[in-house]
Amino acid sequence: MNDIPKWFPAHLPIYDIHKTYEENASEGPFFCHPIPSRPEKISPIDFLGRTLNSPIGVPAGPLLNARWISLASRLGFDLLTYKTIRSLPHRGHPLPNMIFVRARPSGAASVLEKYPNDSEELTLTNSFGMPSQSRDFLLEDIDRAASSLQRGQAMIVSIVGTPRSGRGFADDFIDAAMIARDAGAQFIEANFSCPNVSKSEGMLYQNPEAVYEFARAIAKAIHPLPLILKVGLFPSREIMQKVLQSASSAGVRAVCGINSVSMRVVDSRGLPALGVSRPTSGVCGAAIRGAAMQFIADAAQIIRKEKLDLTLMGCGGLMRPEHFDECLSLGASIAMTATAMMWDPFLAQRYHWRNKDGK
């Protein structure tokens, strides 16, 4: 491709944005390069009772099935998240699912026709709708994914509830959690914050009472497995504090944020780039790093001040090795990348070699 900028890795992305989610899941990841060995020296950390080689991981998003988990493991990411599952099969949104964008000061995002000129500008909208496979497929594939991990690595399974007639929303969350538990999940993450689904699914994290009710029920159902809560950008620090207090009281062991940020995405004519049925979608990548770092700093301060028993996991716009260090220095115990991992799968390796002497 002659429009690939100079900063772009020598290989194409491991996720093909021109293919459907189903095609990427069945044909990908698109990677066929030698994987360099990581430095022998590691600095193990404890994460909710398990020892990890490093605090570097991948949040819910890019790792669609066992093959993707296996690749990320071999690439040196040590805490891996199996893409969000539901209690029943669910079809995702049609193409387009990922588009290069530029975030505007107005809060909207406009479509870019080519790759950005620098990795610091690599921003996309992603709109998948959290598709999911059948229970039988998940039970087998999650087990296969866990078996692919190397020593000093662990896997989270992300879950979400699906509102439907005649079935309680919290009950459906628990059903999805039971699939993850029965498949051998080491940790379960409840996604309360996806911007690409209905409001009842995607805005749950902003309601402290609902967070307590749902998280308490899920934590009780999966005990003794640790429950992680995935959150998005909070409208205020006050609401963030109430939600973190509710999560801790409910038995949540860790909080991961931020999810992609909902924005209006428009084309060159100012029309919805994803069609009239999807005027807004989640924006991820470099443009949201500032918001993510502010979330980490604020959440870490609240956790310390309120003496909450919560481990903080940071993600959102971490594009370079030094961004992991920034995330950890602000108070996160885990630093994760999704967008950058797809476009630069050697990012974890570059972090490990950069920090092999403790730098």
Side-chain angles (χ1 to χ4, degrees):
M1 298 176 66
N2 56 15
D3 59 345
I4 295 179
K6 292 180 179 179
W7 66 264
F8 201 89
H11 46 77
L12 296 175
I14 63 173
Y15 187 98
D16 188 341
I17 66 173
H18 303 294
K19 294 180 181 289
T20 65
Y21 180 95
E22 290 77 15
E23 289 171 331
N24 275 279
S26 62
E27 300 171 16
F30 300 99
F31 184 91
C32 58
H33 304 274
I35 298 176
S37 60
R38 64 191 288 174
E40 292 184 8
K41 181 180 178 181
I42 61 172
S43 301
I45 67 160
D46 176 79
F47 175 69
L48 302 182
R50 288 189 176 267
T51 300
L52 301 180
N53 292 327
S54 79
I56 305 306
V58 181
L63 307 183
L64 311 185
N65 54 41
R67 289 196 311 279
W68 293 74
I69 291 282
S70 175
L71 175 62
S73 164
R74 289 180 283 122
L75 285 167
F77 294 92
D78 293 320
L79 183 59
L80 311 171
T81 309
Y82 192 100
K83 181 72 176 87
T84 312
I85 68 169
R86 297 178 183 265
S87 64
L88 293 173
H90 185 82
R91 291 190 64 83
H93 296 321
L95 289 174
N97 297 132
M98 297 191 80
I99 303 174
F100 294 103
V101 298
R102 176 181 289 113
R104 297 175 173 177
S106 64
S110 56
V111 173
L112 291 177
E113 298 301 327
K114 295 183 178 181
Y115 290 124
N117 292 322
D118 189 276
S119 62
E120 286 292 289
E121 300 173 8
L122 179 59
T123 299
L124 298 98
T125 185
N126 73 84
S127 177
F128 294 101
M130 288 192 290
S132 187
Q133 297 274 15
S134 70
R135 180 183 295 257
D136 288 344
F137 175 91
L138 293 171
L139 288 172
E140 181 179 341
D141 195 65
I142 291 171
D143 178 68
R144 186 183 301 114
S147 298
S148 74
L149 300 180
Q150 301 177 31
R151 185 177 180 180
Q153 296 182 332
M155 187 178 74
I156 302 164
V157 177
S158 172
I159 66 163
V160 72
T162 307
R164 57 180 189 266
S165 177
R167 181 66 172 166
F169 193 15
D171 291 335
D172 197 79
F173 258 106
I174 292 172
D175 281 353
M178 292 301 96
I179 295 175
R181 184 200 65 179
D182 294 346
Q186 297 165 324
F187 310 99
I188 293 177
E189 178 182 274
N191 187 354
F192 285 6
S193 61
C194 182
N196 297 310
V197 292
S198 66
K199 272 197 170 184
S200 58
E201 291 176 86
M203 302 295 284
L204 188 61
Y205 76 99
Q206 295 188 17
N207 184 323
E209 292 76 20
V211 165
Y212 178 81
E213 176 190 350
F214 281 61
R216 186 167 181 263
I218 300 168
K220 183 178 179 181
I222 68 172
H223 182 79
L225 291 182
L227 176 64
I228 301 166
L229 184 64
K230 183 66 172 286
V231 300
L233 194 61
F234 285 95
S236 71
R237 184 185 170 101
E238 179 183 5
I239 292 177
M240 182 196 300
Q241 178 170 326
K242 290 180 179 179
V243 166
L244 293 178
Q245 290 171 323
S246 293
S248 180
S249 298
V252 172
R253 298 288 307 282
V255 172
C256 181
I258 57 174
N259 211 326
S260 57
V261 177
S262 180
M263 294 187 188
R264 186 169 60 91
V265 181
V266 298
D267 61 19
S268 59
R269 299 170 296 168
L271 301 175
L274 299 174
V276 294
S277 63
R278 287 183 285 168
T280 63
S281 57
V283 169
C284 58
I288 71 169
R289 188 172 65 257
M293 295 301 104
Q294 188 62 57
F295 162 80
I296 293 163
D298 290 344
Q301 187 177 54
I302 291 169
I303 290 170
R304 287 194 303 268
K305 180 181 177 182
E306 301 298 323
K307 297 180 172 59
L308 304 179
D309 186 20
L310 291 173
T311 295
L312 184 58
M313 304 161 64
C315 61
L318 279 63
M319 312 303 291
R320 295 179 175 173
E322 57 266 31
H323 296 161
F324 292 127
D325 292 325
E326 179 184 1
C327 177
L328 297 169
S329 70
L330 288 172
S333 297
I334 299 291
M336 311 181 92
T337 180
T339 303
M341 183 265 174
M342 291 188 281
W343 267 261
D344 181 7
F346 290 128
L347 184 57
Q349 290 280 12
R350 295 198 287 121
Y351 172 85
H352 297 319
W353 281 102
R354 180 177 180 269
N355 291 273
K356 68 182 179 67
D357 298 320
K359 295 180 181 178

